[in-house]
Amino acid sequence: MTTPEIARLKGLLADPGTIRAGGVPDGYEAQVLAEILAWQQENAPDRPLVYLARDGQRALDLEQTFPFFAPWAEIEHLPAWDCLP
């Protein structure tokens, strides 16, 4: 089911610039990213999709839940440095 927010986000994706999505409720990141990726594969397959998690646990949670919404997608997890540069 597509919500009005997802429909609006798909409209923003038509812009060739960078899109920053914020304010996604906790636990819904995987669903929103899957919707974006599905739209992107149909309309802009060469455009990269990057998600920055606020911490390592959020990244691991997303890595575990994302395949439920997009089992066909590949995930490349780049862990945070364990020290500041």
Side-chain angles (χ1 to χ4, degrees), residues 10-63:
K10 287 180 181 180
L12 291 173
L13 289 171
D15 180 5
T18 299
I19 303 294
R20 293 187 183 116
V24 176
D26 291 345
Y28 287 94
E29 296 95 344
Q31 182 180 6
V32 170
L33 287 172
E35 290 275 347
I36 292 170
L37 190 59
W39 180 93
Q40 187 173 339
Q41 284 197 330
E42 292 178 17
N43 300 286
D46 296 333
R47 195 170 173 184
L49 177 63
V50 177
Y51 175 79
L52 300 176
R54 68 176 170 223
D55 58 42
Q57 186 59 49
R58 299 298 261 177
L60 291 174
D61 291 346
L62 180 69
E63 191 173 4

Side-chain angles (χ1 to χ4, degrees), residues 37 41 49 66 70-77:
L37 190 59
Q41 284 197 330
L49 177 63
F66 189 71
W72 41 266
E74 291 183 37
I75 299 172
E76 186 67 37
H77 179 180

